[in-house]
Amino acid sequence: MAKNLLRFFQKNYIAFGLVVLFIALAFTFCMQFSEAKERQIKHIKKDRSIEIKQMQKKAFSFFDSGKFDSALFYFNKTQLLCVPKEDYPDEYVESLNYMVEILQRYGNYYEAETTLIKAFPYLEKTSNIKYAVNAYTFMGYNYMYTYDYEKALYYHKKALKKAVSTFRKSRILAEIAFVYMQQKKYQKAIDLLEPIVKYKIEDKITPSKTNYQRAAILYNLGLSYLRIGNHREAAFKCFKESQDLTFTLNDDYEFISNYYAFYLYYSKYYNPKLKKLNAEKAYYYAKKAKSAINETEMLANLIEADNAENSKKYWKVYIKKVDSLAISRKTAKNQFADIIYNSRKDRDENLELKTQKAERELELERQKNHNIILYISIVLVLSTLLFLFFRLSKKGKREKNEAIYISETRISKKLDAELANDLYHTINLIKKGNLEQSENKDQLLNNLENIYSKTRNISKENSFIITDENYISELKEMISGYKTNKVNILMQGFDAVRWNQIEKNKKIILYRVLQEVFLNMKKHSEATLVSTTFKIIEKNLIVTYADNGVGTANKNFILKNGLQNVENRIKTINGTITFDRNSDKGFRLSFTFPI
């Protein structure tokens, strides 16, 4: 589009002159408006401390009672009342931190990151270092939840540098150890947690938090011992001490992790009876704590630990829980989005009204001059736009017709190449007659099935691909279309990808590439199990495909199965693709491209 406009202006000097004139007039108008802004009546600063405290009090009340949607609404109202550049930076940053904690509870990590970034410029203006520590910690959580562990460590270490109290530092070290555990660096986690466990570090500000933190640290240390192996007694000791501390807390939510720990322990050190018992208790406390996410996860563990007959009963409950959880998460996200949107709208409207009131007198003085400039600008803009519209529309129609002709020619050639021969043989078969014979009848049906299949494939290859918010469902539907009674397809990491951040062209190419790969699997692979994994690492999307088909030992496999087209498509978006050419136990490829 930009190149077309440049070529157009090079050939049309009058249009170029009109655009330059419009820019000059618009610049003059903006300069006059800026002068008016500088001379406007200064807004009298208003004391909002009482209003902010009342709003924050409501927010804390709803947060403590578990009504997070209402809490989010009032925390958002609080931060909108603050003017952190001038005043109330403590209330502003604290409200944003609580908003982020609520958004993270419901998996809305994109909105959480956007919200938290607004607090960073004012961390040094706050009166207490805890606000900055909390902000860096929440950012660390956000990156950990989205599997960007290096950035998670970066922000946790920034929080560690800011922290003052020993208790707070020990807690941040435990968070860093937890990130190492997600990276499967269990020895690093143990090296951090063992020194902390040796001392009972107390929270002097909120003593009730002491046992909560120690129980969590013991749980993570025990889990690290369990994962690294050869620490059976040490792992059991940590889990037992963590559970003993939880009994003193009388907190149903904490019991979930205690019994889950012993479920893992008895899974590793084979004891089916105790494994099932602890899975049942973990599930019981998840239901009692009304934690939908944990209830679903613990139920899955119970299905794995119990016998086949009971597992069928639990499986039906599990399906209902998963569906209910997905609906509730979607509803919560929509509610939070509405709250934030409406609050922003209120803020924008209030700011607009204040600006209008402050500038009214100056606007009246300059109204005549502004109107004249505005009318001239409108006339010039409309004239220029109309001229460009008709010129570019004409050119666009011509290019569109050419593109349609090329596309129709290509499809026509493909139909001729792939269907003409089949149609010819089918027509000859019909002319010969004898269709009542079983052999001729079967051959006719096979020919018709082949013609239909090829026609359908050509239609799919040339169909329109939706790239808006419905792209995710379209892509899932396309992939699931290759799933049959004999072929099982697994997808991992699909929902963790921020699809709305990927360019339209790259979405189309990804769709076509996966379509080509699965079509190749259907035609040639003879696979019964297919796995597709999606990961985002350093702003690159990595897709890994693997199946248990015939393999790629044959060097001509890629060309024979049309996968050369896949490689060409990936290269057009600066991506790379890797084929496993030496596997005789299945087919595997992975490709990467920047998003």
Side-chain angles (χ1 to χ4, degrees):
M1 183 66 180
K3 291 181 178 178
N4 290 337
L5 283 173
L6 182 61
R7 287 196 294 267
F8 172 75
F9 286 132
Q10 288 174 346
K11 297 178 181 180
N12 295 271
Y13 300 106
I14 296 175
F16 181 73
L18 288 172
V19 172
V20 172
L21 180 60
F22 162 69
I23 294 172
L25 289 171
F27 180 74
T28 304
F29 177 80
C30 292
M31 288 293 292
Q32 290 188 352
F33 185 75
S34 298
E35 291 175 5
K37 289 280 287 182
E38 290 175 2
R39 294 169 56 188
Q40 70 181 355
I41 301 170
K42 292 184 178 179
H43 176 67
I44 299 173
K45 194 174 181 180
K46 182 180 178 181
D47 184 6
R48 295 181 176 176
S49 56
I50 296 175
E51 189 178 0
I52 289 172
K53 286 180 181 178
Q54 290 175 345
M55 201 69 69
Q56 228 178 12
K57 186 177 180 181
K58 290 181 180 179
F60 286 131
S61 175
F62 283 119
F63 185 87
D64 294 337
S65 61
K67 298 177 180 178
F68 298 116
D69 53 347
S70 300
L72 181 72
F73 176 82
Y74 283 104
F75 279 126
N76 199 43
K77 285 282 188 183
T78 303
Q79 65 94 7
L80 290 175
L81 289 171
C82 300
V83 185
K85 288 183 180 180
E86 300 175 7
D87 215 340
Y88 316 115
D90 288 358
E91 291 82 357
Y92 179 75
V93 173
E94 185 176 30
S95 297
L96 291 177
N97 281 340
Y98 273 98
M99 287 175 66
V100 168
E101 184 175 356
I102 294 170
L103 291 168
Q104 288 178 346
R105 280 174 180 262
Y106 288 88
N108 198 342
Y109 304 120
Y110 175 75
E111 188 65 41
E113 183 178 356
T114 304
T115 302
L116 194 54
I117 286 172
K118 295 193 296 186
F120 279 12
Y122 309 106
L123 297 182
E124 298 301 326
K125 293 179 178 285
T126 55
S127 62
N128 194 320
I129 203 69
K130 70 177 182 179
Y131 300 118
V133 173
N134 289 338
Y136 290 135
T137 299
F138 281 126
M139 187 61 86
Y141 289 156
N142 218 64
Y143 280 116
M144 184 190 70
Y145 294 144
T146 53
Y147 310 107
D148 193 340
Y149 299 123
E150 292 304 321
K151 286 187 179 178
L153 289 171
Y154 171 78
Y155 280 102
H156 279 313
K157 288 175 182 179
K158 283 181 73 72
L160 184 63
K161 290 180 181 179
K162 287 280 185 181
V164 176
S165 70
T166 305
F167 180 83
R168 187 66 172 170
K169 287 183 177 181
S170 65
R171 182 173 180 177
I172 296 170
L173 286 171
E175 300 293 351
I176 294 173
F178 187 72
V179 177
Y180 284 140
M181 290 171 66
Q182 306 312 304
Q183 294 179 307
K184 298 184 180 181
K185 299 177 180 179
Y186 300 113
Q187 189 57 54
K188 279 192 171 185
I190 292 170
D191 292 341
L192 283 177
L193 295 174
E194 280 183 340
I196 302 174
V197 169
K198 290 181 181 179
Y199 305 98
K200 188 177 181 181
I201 304 171
E202 296 185 5
D203 187 349
K204 295 180 180 179
I205 300 174
T206 313
S208 59
K209 292 182 179 179
T210 300
N211 285 344
Y212 276 98
Q213 178 167 316
R214 183 167 178 80
I217 292 173
L218 285 164
Y219 167 81
N220 286 333
L221 181 57
L223 199 59
S224 297
Y225 283 140
L226 192 67
R227 298 298 189 198
I228 205 170
N230 299 323
H231 292 76
R232 181 173 181 173
E233 292 182 4
F236 184 86
K237 183 179 178 182
C238 288
F239 290 150
K240 186 66 173 66
E241 187 178 347
S242 177
Q243 188 179 58
D244 292 341
L245 287 171
T246 305
F247 280 120
T248 66
L249 301 172
N250 195 27
D251 189 326
D252 293 333
Y253 190 85
E254 296 297 322
F255 279 124
I256 301 171
S257 57
N258 286 141
Y259 288 110
Y260 173 66
F262 281 111
Y263 159 78
L264 294 176
Y265 179 85
Y266 290 117
S267 295
K268 184 176 181 67
Y269 301 109
Y270 190 69
N271 191 326
K273 185 177 180 180
L274 291 177
K275 174 186 175 181
K276 177 188 171 184
L277 178 64
N278 283 281
E280 288 174 340
K281 288 186 176 181
Y283 176 53
Y284 167 77
Y285 281 106
K287 289 197 296 183
K288 193 175 179 183
K290 297 179 180 180
S291 174
I293 297 174
N294 282 301
E295 187 176 345
T296 306
E297 292 178 355
M298 296 307 115
L299 183 56
N301 295 333
L302 183 55
I303 291 171
E304 185 271 334
D306 212 337
N307 57 51
E309 185 176 349
N310 287 335
S311 293
K312 289 181 181 179
K313 177 184 68 176
Y314 290 131
W315 179 252
K316 294 179 181 179
V317 179
Y318 177 78
I319 295 298
K320 291 180 180 179
K321 290 289 181 184
V322 170
D323 292 341
S324 176
L325 182 61
I327 292 170
S328 64
R329 276 181 169 177
K330 186 175 181 180
T331 303
K333 284 185 178 181
N334 291 337
Q335 288 176 346
F336 292 163
D338 288 340
I339 289 169
I340 293 170
Y341 171 76
N342 291 330
S343 297
R344 287 173 178 169
K345 186 177 179 182
D346 292 341
R347 178 195 62 189
D348 293 341
E349 289 176 353
N350 290 334
L351 288 174
E352 186 178 355
L353 289 172
K354 290 174 185 177
T355 303
Q356 289 175 356
K357 185 178 179 180
E359 296 176 351
R360 189 166 295 145
E361 293 182 3
L362 294 172
E363 287 178 357
L364 289 173
E365 294 176 4
R366 298 176 177 271
Q367 193 65 45
K368 292 183 179 180
N369 292 333
H370 288 173
N371 286 341
I372 293 170
I373 296 172
L374 185 61
Y375 294 149
I376 295 172
S377 301
I378 290 173
V379 171
L380 289 172
V381 170
L382 290 176
S383 301
T384 305
L385 289 177
L386 283 171
F387 181 75
L388 291 174
F389 173 77
F390 287 115
R391 184 63 181 264
L392 294 177
S393 295
K394 187 177 179 181
K395 185 177 181 180
K397 287 179 181 178
R398 186 173 66 252
E399 291 177 349
K400 184 178 180 181
N401 290 333
E402 291 176 357
I404 291 172
Y405 174 76
I406 293 170
S407 179
E408 289 177 347
T409 303
R410 178 174 53 80
I411 295 172
S412 176
K413 288 180 179 179
K414 191 159 190 176
L415 287 170
D416 181 66
E418 296 193 12
L419 297 180
N421 193 43
D422 288 344
L423 284 170
Y424 174 77
H425 288 298
T426 303
I427 292 170
N428 281 342
L429 181 64
I430 294 172
K431 285 181 178 179
K432 288 178 181 178
N434 298 325
L435 295 179
E436 294 180 357
Q437 293 183 8
S438 176
E439 182 179 350
N440 291 339
K441 187 177 180 180
D442 289 341
Q443 186 177 354
L444 176 61
L445 291 175
N446 288 334
N447 288 351
L448 291 175
E449 177 65 24
N450 288 335
I451 292 170
Y452 170 74
S453 178
K454 290 180 179 179
T455 306
R456 187 168 178 266
N457 288 337
I458 293 171
S459 175
K460 280 187 175 181
E461 289 173 5
N462 295 278
S463 62
F464 175 74
I465 297 174
I466 297 172
T467 56
D468 56 14
E469 63 274 6
N470 296 318
Y471 174 79
I472 301 173
S473 59
E474 288 289 328
L475 184 57
K476 282 185 177 180
E477 185 177 350
M478 183 275 290
I479 294 174
S480 63
Y482 292 94
K483 186 177 181 180
T484 66
N485 293 334
K486 295 182 179 180
V487 181
N488 191 19
I489 298 175
L490 305 177
M491 285 196 296
Q492 299 178 359
F494 186 91
D495 294 326
V497 179
R498 298 175 182 174
W499 295 102
N500 59 337
Q501 293 184 353
I502 300 177
E503 296 174 8
K504 176 181 177 181
N505 182 47
K506 292 180 180 179
K507 285 183 179 179
I508 294 172
I509 289 176
L510 175 62
Y511 187 100
R512 291 299 186 202
V513 165
L514 289 175
Q515 188 180 49
E516 188 104 30
V517 171
F518 277 97
L519 184 61
N520 176 78
M521 176 274 296
K522 183 179 180 180
K523 288 182 177 179
H524 308 288
S525 181
E526 300 178 10
T528 59
L529 181 63
V530 180
S531 172
T532 309
T533 305
F534 299 82
K535 290 182 181 179
I536 294 180
I537 300 177
E538 296 180 355
K539 296 183 178 180
N540 287 298
L541 178 60
I542 301 174
V543 181
T544 304
Y545 169 92
D547 64 37
N548 63 347
V550 297
T552 59
N554 188 342
K555 294 181 180 179
N556 296 322
F557 178 82
I558 295 174
L559 293 176
K560 281 187 177 182
N561 290 278
L563 292 177
Q564 185 65 47
N565 191 35
V566 170
E567 187 172 8
N568 294 336
R569 288 181 186 271
I570 292 298
K571 286 181 179 179
T572 61
I573 53 174
N574 299 322
T576 58
I577 186 167
T578 303
F579 296 95
D580 186 352
R581 299 173 183 267
N582 300 314
S583 174
D584 57 353
K585 296 182 180 179
F587 174 56
R588 180 183 175 89
L589 68 81
S590 64
F591 57 88
T592 305
F593 62 87
I595 60 173

